[in-house]
Amino acid sequence: MSTTRPCSPGDRGPESGDGGASAVSARSAAPVDGVTSVDGVSPAGAAPAPVGRQVRRLSLDGESGVVPLARDFARQALYAWGWLPAASADRRAAAEDVLLVVSELVTNACLHAEGPDELRISCDNKVLRIEVSDRGAGQPAPRTPHRAGRPGGHGMFIVQRLCLDWGVVRMPGVAGKTVWAELGAPA
């Protein structure tokens, strides 16, 4: 698992100039509290969104209670995309994994990076991608050696274990970073 590769294997890299964020497209026609959604249209200057990719964005800059806010936002996206309500134990576990990874990435931004600026969640038929942008300069990494019996320090270890891949995107000349993680969509 990577902590420096800006995109997953086979990915062509960030599709827009906004710190590694994917182009915006979604199935819903109208914005919903904090959600930017545009049907099949990419923002100015961004590459076209892959067909079938749905994206939701939530601004967290200046918000309080961002971890539960982010989890609720992710849960709403999972309902909108048909991951919830889960028809099987495997689908329920996949949805819970997404919510746990969202919690861990947002918590890490709170603890180590001056707080999160934005949460982006995108999904296609195969992969769900979570991106958390912040203004921090640090480099997230699982603690080594991992000590399961000690409190704290498990966030990136959990992300590494649950995700297909994860990494960090930094834009030259721009403060901060985007930490991304990808999970497989349930069958």
Side-chain angles (χ1 to χ4, degrees):
M1 299 296 149
S2 170
T3 60
T4 58
R5 187 173 53 245
C7 15
S8 58
D11 192 353
R12 294 172 306 188
E15 297 175 341
S16 70
D18 64 352
S22 299
V24 176
S25 69
R27 302 276 180 207
S28 60
V32 181
D33 289 333
V35 179
T36 304
S37 58
V38 182
D39 282 329
V41 178
S42 299
V51 175
R53 184 164 261 331
Q54 303 173 77
V55 178
R56 298 258 174 136
R57 297 171 179 249
L58 175 66
S59 176
L60 297 169
D61 190 27
E63 296 289 336
S64 61
V66 294
V67 176
L69 183 65
R71 281 181 67 91
D72 289 345
F73 173 80
R75 187 176 293 107
Q76 290 170 2
L78 293 175
Y79 272 102
W81 297 337
W83 287 49
L84 291 173
S88 68
D90 287 343
R91 292 183 71 83
R92 189 170 29 263
E96 288 299 323
D97 288 351
V98 169
L99 298 176
L100 180 54
V101 170
V102 165
S103 295
E104 294 299 337
L105 294 181
V106 172
T107 297
N108 278 354
C110 291
L111 295 174
H112 307 293
E114 304 175 36
D117 291 331
E118 183 178 60
L119 168 64
R120 288 179 299 279
I121 304 175
S122 59
C123 183
D124 61 20
N125 292 350
K126 297 180 181 178
V127 175
L128 185 134
R129 182 176 174 112
I130 301 162
E131 301 176 11
V132 176
S133 299
D134 63 54
R135 291 181 291 270
Q139 183 71 17
R143 280 196 187 155
T144 54
H146 180 254
R147 293 191 173 109
R150 298 185 108 177
H154 305 289
M156 294 312 293
F157 179 77
I158 291 168
V159 169
Q160 181 175 301
R161 294 294 299 244
L162 293 178
C163 295
L164 299 171
D165 203 6
W166 69 278
V168 177
V169 175
R170 292 187 190 277
M171 298 302 289
V174 178
K177 64 188 172 297
T178 298
V179 180
W180 60 269
E182 293 181 338
L183 294 98

